[in-house]
Amino acid sequence: SNSFCTLLGVTMAGIDKERYEELKKQRTFYKFTYRGLEIEQLLELKNEELSELVHARARRRFQRGLKRKPMALMKKLRKAKSQAKVGEKPPTVNTHLRDMIVMPEMVGSVVGIYNGKQFNAVELKGEMIGRYLAEFSLTYKPVMHGRPGIGATHSSRFIPLK
C-alpha cells in the first residue's frame, strides 16, 4: 500500500532542490507565458527590456525610476523567499504599496496587501505580472442585494403603521 507521497519519492521533511525541480517538471501540463516569454526568460530580462513588454502606464512608471519604497518591498520579498524551505511557500510580507506593479521576480511570493482595514494574503502567480497589487485586494465588500428595507421605495409609504 504505497501512499502518493512515497510513490513520488517525496519525503516532506527533507527534499533536495534538484529532485524538487525534477518533480515539478514532470507535473507541468501548462506552461505560463507572458507576451510570448516563459517565466525563466522573464527573470533574466533587465528592467529596460521588461518595461518594453508591459503596458504604457507601467512603462512610464519604470521610466520615471524605481523609488525607495518599492525597492524596500522587493528586498523584503527576496529575504522571505530565501528563508523559505524548498517546496514551501515563503512567509507573508505585508505592504501598503497597492500601486506596486507585479514583477517576474515577485512570482511565488506571498504578499499581504492592505485594503484600508486588513492585509489580504495573496500568492503572486505568473498571470499577475504587469498588474497592480491593488487589483487583488478589494477595498470594498461587493453589494449583496437582499430585500429592500422600510422607506426604501415609494410604495412602502402606504403601509399602515398599525
Side-chain angles (χ1 to χ4, degrees):
S1 64
N2 281 353
S3 70
F4 183 68
C5 287
T6 54
L7 191 77
L8 287 173
V10 178
T11 53
M12 282 333 234
I15 176 170
D16 55 339
K17 203 169 179 74
E18 298 86 41
R19 182 86 180 111
Y20 178 72
E21 293 300 323
E22 197 180 298
L23 288 169
K24 216 168 150 185
K25 279 197 176 74
Q26 284 175 5
R27 66 166 186 257
T28 47
F29 323 108
Y30 152 76
K31 267 285 191 208
F32 164 73
T33 57
Y34 178 75
R35 311 273 164 110
L37 296 174
E38 290 176 7
I39 194 82
E40 289 83 20
Q41 295 167 310
L42 286 171
L43 287 167
E44 290 164 12
L45 292 179
K46 292 182 180 69
N47 276 355
E48 298 83 53
E49 295 166 329
L50 180 70
S51 70
E52 288 167 19
L53 293 175
V54 291
H55 52 91
R57 174 46 58 186
R59 209 169 21 251
R60 176 179 163 80
R61 176 92 181 269
F62 289 136
Q63 199 177 358
R64 293 181 62 83
L66 294 165
K67 306 288 187 283
R68 173 179 269 146
K69 280 187 176 174
M71 291 308 283
L73 175 63
M74 294 296 278
K75 195 172 164 186
K76 280 183 184 172
L77 288 171
R78 278 188 211 111
K79 187 179 172 192
K81 247 186 186 174
S82 67
Q83 286 176 349
K85 292 182 185 76
V86 178
E88 283 183 24
K89 289 180 186 173
T92 306
V93 176
N94 286 350
T95 182
H96 279 247
L97 299 177
R98 296 171 56 80
D99 63 344
M100 180 75 181
I101 296 161
V102 178
M103 310 280 281
E105 73 168 296
M106 293 165 74
V107 172
S109 302
V110 181
V111 182
I113 308 164
Y114 196 63
N115 69 356
K117 187 177 178 184
Q118 74 240 6
F119 293 94
N120 296 335
V122 176
E123 186 186 353
L124 298 178
K125 296 183 170 63
E127 288 79 21
M128 299 178 180
I129 293 173
R131 311 270 294 271
Y132 290 97
L133 289 181
E135 295 178 55
F136 310 108
S137 177
L138 286 179
T139 56
Y140 62 91
K141 187 169 175 250
V143 179
M144 303 300 272
H145 293 285
R147 311 248 343 125
I150 295 173
T153 61
H154 286 293
S155 63
S156 64
R157 275 195 217 153
F158 306 109
I159 297 167
L161 296 170
K162 294 188 172 93

